[in-house]
Amino acid sequence: MVSGGRPHDAAHLYVHGPARGDAVCGRGDWHYSHKGLEIRVPRGLSDEEIVLVMVPELVESFLVRHDGVHEAAVNAFDQAHADADEAGALSAAPYHDEHAAATKVERKLAPVVGVRWATYDRDTDRLYDAVKAALHAPD
């Protein structure tokens, strides 16, 4: 049970799932479905990097719900700012504080699992660019 006594949703972690719809999955993507929380991570990361993607996505999704930010507002902002490196890092994001807290967790966790931040940043940027190019490639 979460605070307030209401039952929590089950978590479904899709480690190598594509991003939802037209969203680009750079470091990760989360959303709530009828199955519960779904977290998706792009292919091509080490096990340690997968953990570094999943944990902050879990933290952000929890904090967004906890703080009463609607997922639809997060998705609308993300879509409106698709060209931003990280829409949640923009101060106007309705989930900016939640994203900032999740990013702090991510940065603290990196050395614990033995990942250099610069390497992780490079790897996830490379994947983001590849996915984005594939989505926008002519048929």
Side-chain angles (χ1 to χ4, degrees):
M1 301 287 255
V2 294
S3 62
R6 65 178 205 266
H8 68 279
D9 291 323
H12 293 270
L13 304 178
Y14 293 94
V15 175
H16 296 298
R20 295 172 288 123
D22 293 329
V24 174
C25 184
R27 288 206 170 136
D29 183 45
W30 62 265
H31 82 104
Y32 287 93
S33 74
H34 67 282
K35 296 184 233 178
L37 174 63
E38 296 182 14
I39 297 175
R40 297 175 183 187
V41 177
R43 293 184 187 277
L45 297 174
S46 69
D47 289 345
E48 294 80 7
E49 290 172 326
I50 288 170
V51 168
L52 283 180
V53 172
M54 289 177 15
V55 170
E57 292 297 322
L58 177 63
V59 169
E60 182 179 285
S61 65
F62 171 80
L63 291 175
V64 162
R65 260 203 171 178
H66 180 267
D67 295 347
V69 179
H70 294 279
E71 183 180 348
V74 172
N75 293 340
F77 190 86
D78 284 353
Q79 289 175 352
H81 298 86
D83 291 338
D85 286 340
E86 288 189 67
L90 300 174
S91 61
Y95 62 105
H96 174 73
D97 292 341
E98 296 80 4
H99 178 82
T103 300
K104 286 179 185 177
V105 169
E106 184 179 22
R107 284 186 168 273
K108 291 281 189 182
L109 184 58
V112 173
V113 297
V115 173
R116 290 183 54 241
W117 187 262
T119 302
Y120 173 64
D121 215 22
R122 183 197 66 225
D123 289 350
T124 54
D125 283 350
R126 176 183 47 81
L127 288 172
Y128 176 85
D129 291 343
V131 170
K132 192 172 182 179
L135 286 173
H136 295 26
D139 291 330

